[in-house]
Coordinates of all heavy atoms in Angstrom, one line a residue:
Chain A
Q2 N 0.2 2.4 -0.2 CA 0.9 3.6 -0.2 C 0.8 4.3 1.1 O -0.3 4.3 1.7 CB 0.4 4.5 -1.4 CG 0.3 3.8 -2.7 CD 0.3 4.8 -3.9 OE1 1.4 5.2 -4.4 NE2 -0.9 5.1 -4.3
N3 N 1.8 4.9 1.6 CA 1.8 5.5 2.9 C 2.7 6.7 3.0 O 3.8 6.7 2.5 CB 2.3 4.5 3.9 CG 1.9 4.8 5.3 OD1 0.8 5.2 5.6 ND2 2.9 4.8 6.2
I4 N 2.1 7.8 3.6 CA 2.9 9.0 3.9 C 2.8 9.2 5.4 O 1.7 9.3 6.0 CB 2.3 10.2 3.2 CG1 2.0 10.0 1.7 CG2 3.2 11.4 3.4 CD1 3.2 10.0 0.9
D5 N 4.0 9.3 6.1 CA 4.0 9.5 7.5 C 4.6 10.8 7.9 O 5.7 11.2 7.4 CB 4.8 8.4 8.2 CG 4.0 7.1 8.2 OD1 2.8 7.1 8.5 OD2 4.7 6.0 8.0
Q6 N 4.0 11.5 8.8 CA 4.5 12.8 9.3 C 4.0 12.9 10.7 O 2.9 12.3 11.1 CB 4.1 14.0 8.5 CG 2.7 14.1 7.9 CD 2.5 15.3 7.1 OE1 1.8 15.2 6.0 NE2 3.0 16.4 7.5
P7 N 4.7 13.6 11.6 CA 4.2 13.7 13.0 C 2.9 14.5 13.1 O 2.6 15.3 12.2 CB 5.4 14.6 13.7 CG 6.1 15.2 12.5 CD 6.0 14.3 11.4
T8 N 2.1 14.1 14.0 CA 0.8 14.7 14.2 C 0.8 16.1 14.6 O 0.1 17.0 14.1 CB -0.1 13.9 15.2 OG1 -0.1 12.5 14.8 CG2 -1.5 14.4 15.3
E9 N 1.7 16.4 15.5 CA 1.7 17.8 16.1 C 3.1 18.1 16.6 O 3.9 17.2 17.0 CB 0.8 17.9 17.3 CG 0.6 19.2 17.9 CD -0.5 19.2 19.0 OE1 -1.6 19.0 18.7 OE2 -0.1 19.5 20.1
M10 N 3.5 19.4 16.4 CA 4.8 19.9 16.9 C 4.6 21.2 17.5 O 3.7 22.0 17.1 CB 5.8 20.0 15.7 CG 6.1 18.6 15.1 SD 7.4 18.7 13.8 CE 8.8 19.1 14.7
T11 N 5.4 21.6 18.4 CA 5.4 22.9 19.1 C 6.8 23.5 19.0 O 7.8 22.9 19.1 CB 5.0 22.8 20.6 OG1 3.7 22.1 20.7 CG2 4.9 24.1 21.2
A12 N 6.8 24.8 18.7 CA 8.0 25.6 18.6 C 7.8 27.0 19.1 O 6.7 27.4 19.3 CB 8.5 25.6 17.1
T13 N 8.9 27.7 19.3 CA 8.9 29.0 19.8 C 9.1 30.1 18.7 O 9.9 29.8 17.8 CB 10.0 29.2 20.9 OG1 9.8 28.2 21.9 CG2 9.9 30.6 21.5
E14 N 8.4 31.2 18.8 CA 8.5 32.3 17.9 C 10.0 32.7 17.8 O 10.7 32.7 18.8 CB 7.7 33.4 18.4 CG 7.6 34.6 17.4 CD 6.7 35.7 18.0 OE1 6.5 35.7 19.2 OE2 6.3 36.6 17.2
G15 N 10.5 32.8 16.5 CA 11.8 33.2 16.3 C 12.8 32.0 16.1 O 13.9 32.2 15.6
A16 N 12.3 30.8 16.4 CA 13.2 29.6 16.4 C 13.1 29.0 15.0 O 12.5 29.5 14.1 CB 12.8 28.7 17.5
I17 N 13.7 27.8 14.9 CA 13.7 27.0 13.7 C 13.0 25.7 14.0 O 13.2 25.1 15.1 CB 15.1 26.7 13.2 CG1 15.9 28.0 12.8 CG2 15.1 25.8 12.0 CD1 17.3 27.8 12.5
V18 N 12.2 25.2 13.0 CA 11.6 23.9 13.2 C 11.7 23.0 11.9 O 11.7 23.6 10.8 CB 10.1 24.0 13.6 CG1 9.3 24.5 12.5 CG2 9.5 22.7 14.2
Q19 N 11.9 21.7 12.1 CA 12.0 20.8 11.0 C 10.8 19.8 11.1 O 10.7 19.1 12.1 CB 13.3 20.1 11.0 CG 13.5 19.1 9.9 CD 14.9 18.4 9.9 OE1 15.9 19.1 10.0 NE2 14.9 17.1 9.8
I20 N 10.0 19.7 10.0 CA 8.9 18.8 9.9 C 9.3 17.7 9.0 O 9.6 18.0 7.8 CB 7.6 19.5 9.5 CG1 7.3 20.6 10.5 CG2 6.5 18.5 9.4 CD1 6.1 21.5 10.0

Side-chain angles (χ1 to χ4, degrees):
Chain A
Q2 307 203 90
N3 196 49
I4 310 285
D5 286 320
Q6 44 182 139
T8 302
E9 186 175 296
M10 299 180 70
T11 302
T13 303
E14 189 177 16
I17 299 172
V18 71
Q19 177 176 311
I20 302 174

